[in-house]
Amino acid sequence: ICSLVPSPKGFPELKNDAFLRAARGEETEHTPVWCMRQAGRYLPEFRETRAAQDFFATCRSPKLCCELTLQPLRRFPLDAAIIFSDILVVPQALGMEVVMVPGKGPTFTEPLKEVEDLLKLRQKVDVTAELGYVFQAITLTRHCLEGRVPLIGFSGAPWTLMSYMIEGGGSTTMAKAKSWLYRHPEASHRLLRLLTDVVTDYLVGQVAAGAQALQLFESHAGHLGPEQFQDFALPYIRDIAQAVKSKLKEEALPLVPMIIFAKDAHYALRDLARAGYEVVGLDWTVRPQEARAQTGKDVTLQGNLDPCALYAPKEKIGELVKKMLEGFGTRRYIANLGHGLYPDMDPEHVGAFVEAVHAHSRHINKQ
C-alpha cells in the first residue's frame, strides 16, 4: 500500500487515541507526548533519506514525506505523528520562489519589497492544484501508520508567513516585516487576509486527506508587542479557527482538534485560550502554573520542556519531566518540547524524554 497513493477512505482503525482524547479534555491513562521536529536531522536515518535530495523536492514527494514522518515512530513510543512538510509551501503556492540554501536556511529569491509587489501574488489559490502533494503525503502516511497513532497536519500562521515573505528568510529582528505593519497597515492587512484564506483552505484540505488534528504555527509571535499582536496576528488566528470549523461542517468532514502555538506570546495567552482552539501550545519560557491560570480550565495545554534540557544526562531529563508534569497536572495536557528538536541532539535522549512522560504520568494517575 505504501508504494502508491491510496484514496483518503477506508483508513485503518486508530489503536492509540490518547493524544486526541487529551486534546478534547478527556481522561487518559498516560499523558500523551510528541515532539515538534520529531522527524528531523537528529536522526541518522533522516539524514540518509534526505542526503541526495533538495529540501523542497523532498516536501513534494509523498513517498519521502511518509517515510520521514514514520521514522521517529519506529524508534520511540510517541502518541502522535506530524506530517513532514514545511510552512513555506504556502508562499510557494502564492507564486513565490523559495530555495533552501545550505548553511543559511530558506531563502526567497524575490521577497516582497514594495506594496506593489502584492500584485505579483496569486490572488486565488487552488490549494489542491498547488499543494496536492501535501494532501497525498497525508493520505499515504495515514494508511501506512496502520492506526498506530493520530496524524497531525499543520500550517504557518499568517503573520509568520508574511514575515518570511518580506524578510526573504530568517531574521533576528524582523525589522523589514514589522516596518510594513507601521508604514503600510492597509497593505499588511490585505496580505494577511489573503494568507488567512489560503491557510484555511489548506487546513481543510489536510483534514479531507486524512489529518486527525491541526497545528497552526505562529512561530514569529515573539517579534510583535501586545498591540501589534492584537492588530495583526490574533484576528487572523481567530478567523482561521472559525473558518476551518465551519468549512469542515459544510463539507461533512470530521471536526478535528486544533492547536495554536504562538511562540513567545505570553502576553496573549488569555486571548489565545479564547481564540477557538482546543489546545494552546506553549514555549519553554512560561511556567506551567502561570499558563494554567491564564488559560483557564476549558483548553488543553501542550508543551513545554526547554529543548536544550535534552542535552542533560538521562536521569536529569526524567527529573525535569516529572517536575513539568506536576506543574501542568495530567488532565487536559499534552507533553511536548517548548520548540523543535535541534539537529545535534542524541536520539537516545529523545527516547528518555518520551519514556519519562509515560512512566511519570502513569505513576501520578495511579496516585
Side-chain angles (χ1 to χ4, degrees):
I1 193 158
C2 292
S3 57
L4 35 139
V5 175
S7 91
K9 288 183 178 64
F11 290 123
E13 202 178 325
L14 187 58
K15 299 178 188 115
N16 168 5
D17 66 347
F19 164 81
L20 295 178
R21 278 186 295 153
R24 292 192 294 258
E26 297 163 19
E27 280 189 40
T28 56
E29 300 70 58
H30 67 270
T31 294
V33 55
W34 66 281
C35 300
M36 289 186 272
R37 294 214 192 109
Q38 62 191 27
R41 287 177 293 173
Y42 73 102
L43 290 175
E45 57 269 39
F46 177 95
R47 294 197 296 272
E48 216 168 286
T49 309
R50 277 262 0 262
Q53 278 277 12
D54 165 72
F55 178 80
F56 286 109
T58 305
C59 290
R60 286 189 287 272
S61 160
K63 227 160 123 183
L64 285 175
C65 289
C66 175
E67 167 58 23
L68 294 170
T69 303
L70 295 175
Q71 283 176 353
L73 295 158
R74 295 189 189 120
R75 274 191 188 244
F76 316 116
L78 293 153
D79 294 288
I82 182 163
I83 194 66
F84 177 81
S85 186
D86 193 271
I87 64 171
L88 298 182
V89 299
V90 171
Q92 288 176 337
L94 286 163
M96 295 187 82
E97 193 189 358
V98 192
V99 291
M100 195 58 81
V101 178
K104 188 182 172 197
T107 305
F108 286 71
T109 50
E110 288 184 46
L112 303 173
K113 290 195 174 78
E114 305 300 330
V115 170
E116 297 76 61
D117 293 343
L118 294 181
L119 299 172
K120 296 179 192 168
L121 300 174
R122 277 191 193 105
Q123 301 304 307
K124 271 271 172 262
V125 175
D126 175 346
V127 289
T128 308
E130 299 301 330
L131 296 166
Y133 59 87
V134 179
F135 303 156
Q136 289 176 355
I138 287 172
T139 301
L140 180 62
T141 307
R142 178 79 192 273
H143 280 288
C144 296
L145 273 167
E146 297 175 324
R148 212 175 335 169
V149 294
L151 179 60
I152 305 168
F154 71 90
S155 174
W159 155 248
T160 294
L161 295 172
M162 170 181 170
S163 64
Y164 272 115
M165 290 159 75
I166 294 171
E167 294 292 338
S171 155
T172 50
T173 60
M174 294 293 156
K176 288 179 193 165
K178 284 181 74 177
S179 81
W180 270 56
L181 305 181
Y182 287 108
R183 286 166 42 228
H184 314 301
E186 273 173 46
S188 296
H189 281 300
R190 239 180 19 244
L191 175 54
L192 290 162
R193 170 55 49 210
L194 174 63
L195 285 163
T196 298
D197 294 344
V198 178
V199 167
T200 298
D201 290 345
Y202 181 42
L203 290 172
V204 171
Q206 291 185 44
V207 176
Q212 290 153 292
L214 298 169
Q215 176 153 314
L216 190 67
F217 284 89
E218 189 69 280
S219 313
H220 295 167
H223 290 283
L224 300 177
E227 283 181 17
Q228 280 190 315
F229 189 84
Q230 283 286 342
D231 286 348
F232 296 102
L234 189 64
Y236 301 102
I237 288 170
R238 282 195 191 118
D239 285 358
I240 287 169
Q242 208 180 344
V244 166
K245 289 183 159 121
S246 72
K247 284 196 173 192
L248 291 175
K249 271 189 194 140
E250 264 168 47
E251 297 179 28
L253 289 164
L255 279 174
V256 303
M258 294 179 72
I259 307 163
I260 175 65
F261 176 63
K263 191 174 177 291
D264 297 327
H266 332 128
Y267 52 77
L269 281 178
R270 197 157 282 172
D271 289 325
L272 290 166
R274 295 171 180 75
Y277 294 76
E278 286 69 27
V279 183
V280 175
L282 304 167
D283 61 72
W284 72 90
T285 61
V286 191
R287 286 195 178 85
Q289 295 85 340
E290 228 160 88
R292 200 55 94 180
Q294 296 264 354
T295 54
K297 294 185 179 67
D298 298 330
V299 294
T300 292
L301 295 179
Q302 174 179 284
N304 75 337
L305 192 72
D306 180 356
C308 291
L310 299 192
Y311 294 123
K314 289 184 194 172
E315 313 70 72
K316 179 71 176 161
I317 293 172
E319 287 165 32
L320 292 166
V321 164
K322 181 170 181 277
K323 196 176 163 201
M324 176 173 82
L325 286 163
E326 285 164 354
F328 282 109
T330 56
R331 279 299 305 273
R332 275 208 171 275
Y333 176 55
I334 296 162
N336 205 315
L337 302 171
H339 200 233
L341 286 159
Y342 301 147
D344 63 346
M345 285 179 166
D346 181 341
E348 286 193 17
H349 288 225
V350 178
F353 166 66
V354 173
E355 277 149 36
V357 170
H358 286 164
H360 288 299
S361 61
R362 281 201 177 96
H363 183 70
I364 292 170
N365 285 344
K366 278 201 185 93
Q367 290 176 336

